[in-house]
Amino acid sequence: MRKLTSAIPLYLCVLVLMLSTTLAFAQKRVPAGGIVWNYVARVYFNPNNGTGQVAGYFTYFPGVDGMFAGTPSEATARFTFRSDTLQLQPVPSQGSLGVILATSGEWRIYFNPTPAGNWSDLDSFSRGQVAAVLTHGTKELVSAGASGAGMFSGDVLESHDFVLNGQKLNLGRIFPDGFTVFSTISNIPVGGTSDFPVGLPYAGSAIAKGPEPPADSGSNERR
């Protein structure tokens, strides 16, 4: 009995380590082409100086429960994002087709346990813990009539652990090789902010990129 009692602390330590490891690695990497998130957003811009920012919230991450603190909306979304300031450059239109280029840069995903997003306040989308820092390539925003589309790819610069509903999570485990975003944009303006008075709503999804091919992947062809 004495030997069994003395071994209990050791068993407890092993159990705690097993549970913590399970929580830390609960999320699975999404294979190339699989959906890694859905989102709702607005692109804000200032037509007087050609600058803009993008902000919004996520409605889905695979393996993450409790995306909202209430009925889904910007005000209850626990995961939000905001870009750095972009330079926007329109190119000559072709009939009813318009194209705007947005410079490449960085953007951040935030985890906020007590959300309060507000489309009139860009800062409300960049509160809480930084969950990930990402890149985005040059964006091409295409408009045709009342709607348009956009697409860009990016990579993960850094990601950080956070705890939600007792689970330790890390978004970088879902899409470690990067992502490609597809979005649908409305060309009917909505409210902006004092710095960016025009807003355009849009929504979309992202898919996982595959890993980089080996450096010598073409060696057999050269032989």
Side-chain angles (χ1 to χ4, degrees), residues 11 25 30 34 42-43 49 69 122 134 153 169-170 186 188 192 209 212:
Y11 293 151
F25 292 93
V30 173
R42 287 187 184 182
V43 54
N49 59 20
L122 274 169
L134 313 170
S153 287
L169 303 171
N170 189 307
S186 170
I188 300 175
K209 294 197 301 185
E212 292 289 334

Side-chain angles (χ1 to χ4, degrees), residues 166-178:
Q167 284 194 310
K168 186 178 181 182
L169 303 171
N170 189 307
L171 298 179
R173 299 186 187 280
I174 301 175
F175 43 89
D177 298 311

Side-chain angles (χ1 to χ4, degrees), residues 70-149:
T71 302
S73 74
E74 73 281 4
T76 62
R78 290 192 171 105
F79 295 92
T80 60
F81 70 92
R82 185 178 180 183
S83 74
D84 292 343
T85 298
L86 309 169
Q87 291 294 321
L88 304 176
Q89 178 62 58
V91 301
S93 60
Q94 300 185 66
S96 62
L97 185 70
V99 176
I100 296 177
L101 302 180
T103 52
S104 60
E106 296 181 7
W107 58 293
R108 289 161 179 78
I109 298 175
Y110 297 86
F111 167 61
N112 189 351
T114 56
N118 184 334
W119 291 122
S120 299
D121 179 11
L122 274 169
D123 290 338
S124 69
F125 294 93
S126 53
R127 294 190 180 117
Q129 174 188 345
V130 176
V133 181
L134 313 170
T135 66
H136 62 81
T138 299
K139 299 181 180 183
E140 184 174 86
L141 307 178
V142 181
S143 64
S147 63

